[in-house]
Structures are given as C-alpha cells and as structure tokens.
Amino acid sequence: MSDLTSQAEHPQLSSEEIRVASEPFRRIVAEVGKVVVGQEILIRRMLTALLAGGHLLIEGVPGLAKTTAVSSLAKAVQTDFQRLQFTPDLLPADLIGTQVYRPQDQAFVVQKGPIFSNLILADEINRAPAKVQSALLEAMQERQVTIGSETFPLAEPFLVMATQNPVEQEGTYPLPEAQMDRFLMKVVVDYPNRDEELLILRRMSKTDKTIALNAVTSPEEILSARKYVDRIHVSAAIEEYIVDLVMASRKPVAYGLQLEGFIQFGASPRATINLTLSAKVEAFLDGRSFVTPQDVKAIAMDVLRHRITVTYEAEAEEMTSEMIVQTILDGVRIP
C-alpha cells in the first residue's frame, strides 16, 4: 500500500477528535484518584497499558496501593477484576483452569480459572515457580489459554498487572530476561510525599474505607479508543529518535556515551515497538494527534529499564539499568 493510499484511507486526525475520544480516560484518572492518593504515574501507566494492549510489571514495597489502584481501575472501566496471590505451591491449573470429570455425564468438562478476566493483578509474581509464570506469560502473549485439547480466547481488553517486592527475595523465582521483555513497561512505585501521606491519613484512617466510584467508560470504548491510538501521527524524525534510543542501548560508543562495559544486553526490537506505541498513547491521553519528543522521553524509562541487562562490572560500579537509560536519554540528540 502506498503512502498516498494510506493517507486517503486514514486521514489525519484533528485535535478535536482526539480530545473528545480521550476525555473518558482523563475522567478515569480523576475517578481513581478519589481512592488512590499520590500514584498519578501508576494510574496513567495502567491506562497506557490498556490502550496499548500491553501489560505492566510493578515494583514497590507492600502498602503502596497497587491492589487498590487496579481494583479501582476495574470499577471505573466497569469490567471484571481478579487478584491472584502467587505462592510457591501454586499450580498452572490454579491459574488457567482444568478439566473436571462429571460422573453424571460420564465426560470431562472444562472449568475455567481466574485468568479469564479483563484485569488481572498477579501479586508477587516472582514467588511462583517457572511453570506458573510461563502459563501466565503465555496467556499475556498469545491472548489465549489451552486446557486439555481445547483453546479458549481471552476477552479484550486484557491487562495483567504483575507486582514484585524489591525486598524479601528469599524463596523467590526471578523472571528471566526473555519473560521480562514481554511486559510493555516496568513501573517503580515509590512512597508518597508528606502532603500525600497527610491526605491518605485524613481519607483512610477510619473503619469504613468504602468510597463509591462511578463507571466512566466501558471495554467497548477502550477497544474503540485503540483505533484512534493507531492513527496518532509519528513523524520520521520521531521514529529515528526512537530507533536511536534503542540502538544506543546496544552500541553506546557509536553515540558517544561512556557506557562501554556496563551493558551486557541492550533493548530488543520489542522495545522499539512498545516505545512507539506507548508514546502514541501519551499523545492521545494529552489530547494531541501527533507524538512529540517529550512523549517519548516521558515513557522511555518505564519501557526500557527492564530490557537492559547490566554487566558485573556495572554492578561493581553500582550502575543500574535506570542510570543507563537516563544516560542514553541525556546523550541522544532530540529532534
């Protein structure tokens, strides 16, 4: 298909069209904010994952409202939500389901597991053994589950929000790099500041913590909004900027970055795809029909931090993947 044909079939979106289409998602931020205090970035990243069709890996200590955030999101979207507590004795059947024999019918029937929901919170995913992690990640990638000889598609939208505790690593099964790469983003959740902590105290220090949330959008509207996201314009200069950021993680010397010996593996082509798609969602949520360099920089840390593997030399120098990403963002020329 030529560029002219493509432009004729998908004319440039106007800012007004984008503003109207993205309005329900800005209301979601306000609605979830009634319950969750001080986690605006987390809420926005959950919306990015929903609209980009990806998944989130969340790292943060207990008590930072990760579960509350995703359950509140489910209420604001008016969709199904399941929380799965991952433990060392968890089995794949506990997640995806199994076949159950019914004596009255003399036949096996499929009993679906909790994975058949729109929003999934996989709490402490690194506490489950590799087989369970693989079952979840297969569902995330293929958007389907096989039980016995039958294959069942998962309903869209389908978002997995998997959490990891940065402390208490004893008895855990860390996710391999290839599995980490399947997450759209890795978000690090930090403690609230003093003002936010004070607001949490005033809002939540009571026995009845119930706060009514209104459903402001539906799964159908999310699927419709994804079509607008696909039509967000990305200029050639922005495309080259995105490619340069990813290439700099593989060949930093070519970009004049003093990172030689610190990077074992750079970001994969999946990073290029996800960085572009996430930047388009950033523009959409801001009510724009085009991507700016600031959209790319705003999302780059969360898209790239878990896709760069540091060397032992970097660990000895206390150089983290976040520091490497920041060096790349500071060193690569902005168009």
Side-chain angles (χ1 to χ4, degrees):
M1 182 185 292
S2 68
D3 290 341
L4 291 176
T5 303
S6 178
Q7 289 174 10
E9 291 183 358
H10 303 287
Q12 181 70 38
L13 290 167
S14 69
S15 296
E16 181 62 21
E17 284 181 286
I18 293 296
R19 189 190 65 78
V20 172
S22 60
E23 177 59 28
F25 300 95
R26 286 192 290 275
R27 292 205 307 270
I28 287 177
V29 176
E31 199 67 26
V32 176
K34 293 179 180 178
V35 177
V36 181
V37 178
Q39 299 293 0
E40 290 83 1
I41 295 296
L42 173 59
I43 297 168
R44 191 174 175 103
R45 295 298 181 261
M46 288 193 298
L47 289 179
T48 300
L50 269 178
L51 292 168
H55 307 283
L56 288 182
L57 180 61
I58 311 296
E59 186 173 285
V61 298
L64 294 183
K66 299 185 293 293
T67 304
T68 304
V70 72
S71 62
S72 299
L73 178 67
K75 293 175 184 176
V77 177
Q78 197 175 16
T79 190
D80 295 330
F81 164 66
Q82 287 284 349
R83 178 182 179 274
L84 307 175
Q85 183 64 53
F86 279 45
T87 56
D89 59 347
L90 198 69
L91 299 174
D94 299 327
L95 180 68
I96 64 174
T98 188
Q99 290 183 316
V100 178
Y101 183 72
R102 283 188 177 174
Q104 63 270 31
D105 300 327
Q106 295 187 348
F108 284 93
V109 296
V110 172
Q111 182 173 316
K112 294 182 179 180
I115 195 69
F116 289 90
S117 187
N118 293 111
L119 298 185
I120 302 291
L121 175 64
D123 215 359
E124 295 190 287
I125 186 175
N126 55 334
R127 292 205 177 276
K131 281 188 176 182
V132 177
Q133 292 179 8
S134 297
L136 175 64
L137 292 165
E138 180 184 4
M140 291 164 52
Q141 182 70 16
E142 306 299 333
R143 294 296 201 280
Q144 64 182 28
V145 169
T146 300
I147 303 174
S149 60
E150 294 184 74
T151 299
F152 302 90
L154 295 170
E156 289 286 357
F158 177 64
L159 168 64
V160 173
M161 177 174 158
T163 69
Q164 284 191 149
N165 188 342
V167 296
E168 297 180 9
Q169 295 301 312
E170 189 174 336
T172 62
Y173 304 82
L175 292 174
E177 284 76 7
Q179 293 182 344
M180 294 272 284
D181 193 40
R182 294 179 184 273
F183 285 93
L184 177 75
M185 291 177 288
K186 178 183 176 182
V187 182
V188 176
V189 181
D190 203 355
Y191 287 110
N193 60 36
R194 188 180 186 280
D195 291 338
E196 292 165 346
E197 193 86 22
L198 189 59
L199 182 56
I200 292 171
L201 180 153
R202 291 170 176 169
R203 184 181 295 180
M204 306 303 291
S205 57
K206 51 187 177 181
T207 55
D208 184 6
K209 298 178 177 61
T210 304
I211 299 177
L213 294 181
N214 300 314
V216 297
T217 189
S218 65
E220 291 75 24
E221 283 187 301
I222 291 172
L223 299 180
S224 177
R226 287 180 180 178
K227 297 177 182 178
Y228 284 96
V229 170
D230 288 338
R231 295 170 61 193
I232 297 289
H233 178 66
V234 184
S235 68
I238 297 293
E239 289 177 339
E240 291 183 12
Y241 177 54
I242 290 171
V243 170
D244 283 339
L245 290 176
V246 175
M247 292 299 295
S249 74
R250 303 173 195 168
K251 300 179 180 179
V253 177
Y255 292 85
L257 303 176
Q258 303 300 315
L259 295 173
E260 190 172 6
F262 290 155
I263 302 174
Q264 185 174 6
F265 298 109
S268 71
R270 191 179 279 123
T272 307
I273 297 169
N274 289 341
L275 187 52
T276 305
L277 191 53
S278 298
K280 290 166 76 171
V281 176
E282 279 287 302
F284 175 81
L285 291 175
D286 285 342
R288 281 182 284 103
S289 61
F290 57 91
V291 173
T292 67
Q294 286 68 35
D295 293 325
V296 178
K297 292 194 73 171
I299 206 76
M301 180 64 75
D302 292 334
V303 173
L304 296 177
R305 62 158 43 105
H306 60 297
R307 292 186 160 93
I308 295 176
T309 306
V310 300
T311 61
Y312 290 116
E313 182 181 347
E315 291 179 354
E317 296 288 335
E318 297 185 349
M319 174 75 77
T320 65
S321 63
E322 284 88 353
M323 295 167 67
I324 290 173
V325 173
Q326 192 59 55
T327 301
I328 291 171
L329 289 173
D330 293 340
V332 173
R333 187 181 65 84
I334 299 174

